Amino acid sequence: MPKIVLYGVDPSPPVRACLMTLRALNVEFEYKVLNLQGGEHMQPEFLKKNPLHTVPVLEDDGKVLTDSHVICTYLIQKYGGQKDKALYPADLYERAIVDQKLYFDCGVLFTKLRAVTIHIFNATGPSKVPQDKIEAITEAYDFLEKFLQTNEYITGKNVTVADICCIATVTSLAFHPLDSSKYPKTTAWIKKMQQLPFYSPNEKGATELITFINAHLKQFS
Ligand SMILES: N[C@@H](CCC(=O)N[C@@H](CS)C(=O)NCC(=O)O)C(=O)O
């Protein structure tokens, strides 16, 4: 079995997506927790692995991969058993729809979260989060509710890696709570995801991040 190493921190949604994928695949790995506040991700040794200085980073037998979406799909293709392969379907069209929602996570959901956290985890110090950046999250919830109108999961009737990546980000937006009467499908999807056997690695980190963001919002209110 090749040696798999994941570099990350629990509060990071993309790291949690990788942790859930590894759990779903039942793959053994070493988890190296970085001290981001101490600048460990800015050290030359880490920058050699990822010049973007972001986590997660995966090493598989010494080969380096960055970006959670790339890491998760790679892991499924390389280590997934027959049943796990459905997480990233082989059919070209089905796969394209999964990719589309992975890009949605990266380009829409995570971008909206980052527009908030940039004011918190800022090298020049924390600052007040503009209210419009928080309100903008509503648009992401609107999109999700539309995706889930006729689908049980983000891309259809089966759970895929798109659900894994999106749930990690969506549960990190809970400082701007969803109104379950306005978003019944999204609320049901979140509950369903939370019951899946591989979900548990998301819990602690999401709670830590939300607690941290809420404390920041209170401090600057
Ligand atoms: N698209 C990337 C985003 C990774 C990312 O931005 N990670 C954040 C933590 S959530 C990070 O490492 N930030 C530290 C930095 O930018 O210096 C992914 O999915 O892996």
Side-chain angles (χ1 to χ4, degrees):
M1 183 77 168
K3 184 169 165 55
I4 298 175
V5 182
L6 182 74
Y7 296 84
V9 290
D10 283 350
S12 159
V15 170
R16 283 184 263 122
C18 296
L19 291 171
M20 283 188 277
T21 302
L22 285 158
R23 175 71 62 90
L25 302 175
N26 205 14
V27 168
E28 273 180 37
F29 66 102
E30 184 186 349
Y31 185 31
K32 288 199 180 167
V33 176
L34 292 187
N35 178 358
L36 295 191
Q37 264 144 353
E40 220 176 327
H41 60 316
M42 303 304 263
Q43 296 306 309
E45 203 185 322
F46 188 76
L47 290 174
K48 241 187 274 164
K49 298 183 205 300
N50 183 9
L52 298 181
H53 49 78
T54 56
V55 289
V57 166
L58 185 90
E59 265 173 6
D60 184 9
D61 244 354
K63 289 190 215 132
V64 176
L65 273 182
T66 65
D67 190 277
S68 59
H69 310 88
V70 171
I71 293 171
C72 291
T73 52
Y74 167 84
L75 286 169
I76 293 163
Q77 292 176 94
K78 181 151 182 201
Y79 296 107
Q82 206 47 45
K83 192 171 58 69
D84 306 320
K85 297 271 200 250
L87 290 170
Y88 194 49
D91 175 86
L92 275 187
Y93 181 72
E94 284 178 34
R95 179 168 288 198
I97 298 297
V98 173
D99 287 337
Q100 184 192 65
K101 298 306 188 288
L102 291 175
Y103 297 142
F104 168 76
D105 177 49
C106 192
V108 179
L109 291 181
F110 188 75
T111 303
K112 287 185 188 293
L113 174 64
R114 190 158 167 74
V116 171
T117 57
I118 197 87
H119 294 273
I120 304 173
F121 307 109
N122 192 336
T124 58
S127 59
K128 186 174 168 64
V129 180
Q131 191 55 29
D132 64 315
K133 301 292 179 207
I134 297 175
E135 297 300 333
I137 294 167
T138 305
E139 191 192 25
Y141 292 155
D142 290 340
F143 289 140
L144 278 168
E145 191 67 15
K146 281 182 191 141
F147 296 155
L148 291 160
Q149 256 337 285
T150 52
N151 292 331
E152 210 173 319
Y153 293 98
I154 294 277
T155 62
K157 60 180 187 341
N158 298 317
V159 65
T160 70
V161 64
D163 295 283
I164 296 177
C165 290
C166 289
I167 196 69
T169 315
V170 169
T171 50
S172 307
L173 295 171
F175 56 89
H176 182 60
L178 271 168
D179 175 351
S180 59
S181 63
K182 194 170 164 212
Y183 300 101
K185 300 281 185 183
T186 309
T187 306
W189 169 74
I190 293 171
K191 283 200 182 122
K192 214 161 15 183
M193 289 302 296
Q194 287 172 332
Q195 272 146 32
L196 292 175
F198 56 75
Y199 180 80
S200 61
N202 193 52
E203 264 163 18
K204 180 171 149 277
T207 304
E208 276 173 22
L209 183 64
I210 297 301
T211 306
F212 202 83
I213 294 176
N214 278 334
H216 177 94
L217 295 177
K218 198 168 164 207
Q219 189 194 340
F220 282 84
S221 63

